[in-house]
Amino acid sequence: MKISIIGTGYVGLTIGACLADKGISVLCMDIDEAKIENLKKGIIPIYEPGLETLVQKTYDNGTLSFTTSAKEAIQFATIVISAVGTPPKPDGSSDLTFIKEVLKAFGKHINSYKIYVNKSTVPVGTGDLCKQIIKEEIVKRGENIEFDVISNPEFLREGNAIYDIQFPDRIIIGSDSQKAKDLLTTLYKKLGEEDVDILYTDIKTAEIIKYASNAMLATKISFINEIANFCELAGGDVRAVAKGIGLDKRIGKSFLNAGVGYGGSCFPKDVAALIHTGKEHGYDFEIIQAVQNTNEKQKLSLLNKLKKQIGPLQNKHIAIWGLAFKPETDDMREAPSLKTIKDLQVEGAQIHAFDPVATKTAQSYIEPLNITYHTDMYEAAKDADALLILTEWNTFRTADLQKLKELMKTPLLLDGRNIYEHEAMQSLGFTYICVGQKHDEKTIRQLKTIKNAVFG
Ligand code: NAD
């Protein structure tokens, strides 16, 4: 069996390598020539656990190959998977420029029956657009070649992408063609996913399932962040609250970690796109809008706590541990650290940052103003007036806290991911401020004042 993948990014490359690992002959195509050249040399453009080994193994044994030729990729296989980016436009809508380029190429180069499988996250109705653009291109050539379109949204989590592809919770196949559904089902069976739930739907339903899934997960995060903010004022520990409610099977335990807000390449853009698509269809997503508003406020929460502790930040040495939007990735898209660092730069702080893998990527997102990147986490914290933890990397959980305390000018630790125990940190001599945990009366009064000033 042969598969083509157009768009060799986080999704395309990982799926390509996983399919190739099952013995399927995979051709990955990208317009980024440097990326393809590097991949041919064994240089992987992203950090994803296990991916480098898998790509190398499958490239070396010949099941995975790379090209920059759209024609070659489209003519290589019957199933052509598109996994190009759908970045957000300033108004929140989804930018379909890359998708349209692929569709035009597909229509231009199709030479026998093929299935265009859309793995990118696209607004409802894009399936119709796909059919229209492909058809127009075929007609331009004076040809009449049969094709089908499938919406097959991807649900992998960066940092766990290989596992998620190998052991998905479910597979959604949205299509109006039985032939196309059967072929894609055969592919997934080859992947060894005999027992996985495959849900067959129409194209529009499949497109909505993807947005609804991400909006639901973002809702859980914003919900627990609101409960965390309430705990800080009323008392209680949000971690125990999350556990207490998560034990209810109807609610579930996951996505109930309070923090500094969600980020990444998917939730912010998909929430914004859903709100935008809703408006286009005359619908106001009130809950989803509130989720987005809560998340924006949450991104400010740690810095407000910092200012309350040390006042003006001008020339203060602020250490940051964690830049990536979550652990086990170097993806910086919409990472909460970006907002925090920008605000620190505006306030004139001297920033000293450390991330186990995302520093290089971060540098292309962050203005080089008052910021020093360190390759050692303790170096970043040396002589710091405060340390902010923004990503819950395991290496921070096992940090030598005694050493950290001795290195810092002031042992003030603001933990945006709740990775340490309050009492333990206090007994080590830290002023430890985290998310959604009980504070003393004085702190509660001060937090109330700040929240009123910021949020009204
Ligand atoms: P990405 O930016 O990492 O990769 C996209 C790739 O497409 C890039 O390498 C780019 O050069 C390439 N590209 C752009 N135009 C092209 C063209 N005309 N022909 C060939 N290649 C082209 O994006 P990603 O994170 O892999 O996401 C891809 C899609 O999958 C998006 O719609 C995203 O929302 C969705 N998705 C992403 C994730 C995730 O965790 N990253 C999870 C599920 C779904």
Side-chain angles (χ1 to χ4, degrees):
M1 194 170 198
K2 288 172 158 186
I3 297 292
S4 299
I5 298 183
I6 316 261
T8 310
Y10 279 88
V11 171
L13 182 61
T14 317
I15 290 174
C18 288
L19 290 172
D21 195 41
K22 292 288 173 187
I24 296 164
S25 191
V26 180
L27 179 59
C28 280
M29 181 262 164
D30 205 286
I31 41 164
D32 185 335
E33 290 180 9
K35 186 182 271 192
I36 293 298
E37 269 319 299
N38 280 334
L39 279 163
K40 285 178 177 172
K41 289 182 205 148
I43 302 167
I44 308 296
I46 52 168
Y47 175 80
E48 179 63 40
L51 187 59
E52 190 168 3
T53 315
L54 207 59
V55 169
Q56 256 163 22
K57 177 181 151 196
T58 50
Y59 184 66
D60 288 348
N61 71 22
T63 45
L64 180 64
S65 47
F66 300 103
T67 183
T68 52
S69 161
K71 181 179 177 186
E72 188 190 350
I74 289 156
Q75 297 188 350
F76 178 77
T78 302
I79 298 177
V80 180
I81 298 176
S82 171
V84 295
T86 45
K89 286 189 191 171
D91 66 359
S93 63
S94 200
D95 186 345
L96 298 182
T97 308
F98 302 133
I99 296 271
K100 288 177 187 167
E101 282 169 8
V102 177
L103 290 166
K104 282 189 181 166
F106 187 91
K108 201 169 153 196
H109 299 303
I110 182 172
N111 55 347
S112 57
Y113 171 77
K114 291 187 189 293
I115 308 171
Y116 174 89
V117 179
N118 187 27
K119 270 231 168 271
S120 303
T121 304
V122 291
V124 60
T126 304
D128 292 338
L129 181 74
C130 293
K131 289 181 192 170
Q132 185 198 320
I133 294 177
I134 296 170
K135 184 85 196 156
E136 278 170 9
E137 289 298 321
I138 296 174
V139 169
K140 266 190 214 167
R141 291 163 51 196
E143 304 263 8
N144 183 18
I145 305 171
E146 199 197 339
F147 70 92
D148 281 310
V149 169
I150 285 190
S151 170
N152 176 222
E154 181 51 55
F155 300 97
L156 65 79
R157 297 161 298 169
E158 286 177 15
N160 291 280
I162 292 175
Y163 178 88
D164 287 346
I165 290 167
Q166 289 172 341
F167 306 98
D169 290 338
R170 80 302 208 184
I171 290 160
I172 307 294
I173 298 182
S175 176
D176 48 18
S177 155
Q178 194 55 48
K179 180 177 173 183
K181 283 181 196 173
D182 290 346
L183 273 166
L184 204 61
T185 305
T186 309
L187 172 70
Y188 279 116
K189 297 283 180 212
K190 272 201 188 300
L191 253 178
E193 289 154 6
E194 295 289 340
D195 300 327
V196 69
D197 282 331
I198 299 184
L199 180 67
Y200 300 97
T201 69
D202 59 84
I203 295 180
K204 286 187 175 171
T205 303
E207 289 166 343
I208 294 174
I209 285 171
K210 174 63 194 177
Y211 281 100
S213 299
N214 277 357
M216 182 73 223
L217 295 170
T219 302
K220 284 186 94 173
I221 296 173
S222 278
F223 173 81
I224 201 66
N225 281 337
E226 287 226 282
I227 297 292
N229 295 339
F230 178 63
C231 286
E232 287 175 10
L233 298 172
D237 180 340
V238 73
R239 294 170 308 168
V241 175
K243 197 169 181 187
I245 59 178
L247 284 169
D248 184 330
K249 289 191 180 66
R250 294 168 302 176
I251 298 172
K253 292 176 193 166
S254 58
F255 280 80
L256 287 178
N257 293 325
V260 288
Y262 60 76
S265 66
C266 293
F267 289 0
K269 92 170 164 64
D270 294 348
V271 163
L274 185 57
I275 293 168
H276 191 275
T277 317
K279 287 203 170 79
E280 284 180 344
H281 289 263
Y283 189 77
D284 263 339
F285 276 108
E286 291 184 31
I287 293 176
I288 314 291
Q289 185 62 64
V291 165
Q292 189 185 51
N293 296 346
T294 299
N295 196 56
E296 288 309 304
K297 287 178 190 172
Q298 198 65 18
K299 286 191 205 163
L300 306 172
S301 59
L302 211 62
L303 217 56
N304 288 330
K305 290 173 184 170
L306 174 67
K307 284 189 212 162
K308 187 196 74 112
Q309 287 295 321
I310 61 175
L313 300 175
Q314 183 74 32
N315 288 328
K316 290 276 162 58
H317 175 157
I318 308 300
I320 292 187
W321 280 4
L323 296 168
F325 86 95
K326 69 172 187 177
E328 301 301 332
T329 183
D330 61 351
D331 199 340
M332 285 295 300
R333 289 177 280 187
E334 300 278 345
S337 66
L338 296 175
K339 169 83 183 130
T340 307
I341 288 171
K342 199 167 183 190
D343 288 352
L344 285 168
Q345 288 173 325
V346 170
E347 301 273 343
Q350 296 296 325
I351 305 152
H352 290 260
F354 168 80
D355 188 283
V357 303
T359 301
K360 193 164 165 249
T361 328
Q363 281 168 322
S364 61
Y365 283 79
I366 296 168
E367 203 190 333
L369 176 71
N370 297 346
I371 183 159
T372 310
Y373 297 94
H374 295 265
T375 51
D376 179 286
M377 62 189 196
Y378 299 105
E379 275 299 312
K382 192 163 174 273
D383 299 326
D385 292 291
L387 167 63
L388 271 53
I389 296 185
L390 300 179
T391 317
E392 64 275 38
W393 284 97
N394 272 338
T395 183
F396 305 151
R397 293 182 197 278
T398 54
D400 182 341
L401 296 169
Q402 189 61 47
K403 176 177 170 184
L404 175 66
K405 195 199 140 208
E406 282 158 20
L407 279 170
M408 291 177 71
K409 186 169 151 201
T410 318
L412 171 60
L413 201 158
L414 291 103
D415 179 358
R417 298 294 179 181
N418 282 351
I419 62 176
Y420 303 123
E421 289 302 321
H422 213 280
E423 286 76 9
M425 294 303 282
Q426 270 169 345
S427 66
L428 274 169
F430 280 95
T431 303
Y432 179 67
I433 304 194
C434 50
V435 183
Q437 291 178 42
K438 194 170 186 276
H439 298 290
D440 59 35
E441 284 305 314
K442 186 171 158 238
T443 314
I444 290 170
R445 275 199 303 279
Q446 286 169 330
L447 276 172
K448 272 185 179 153
T449 317
I450 286 178
K451 282 208 164 88
N452 286 339
V454 175
F455 304 137

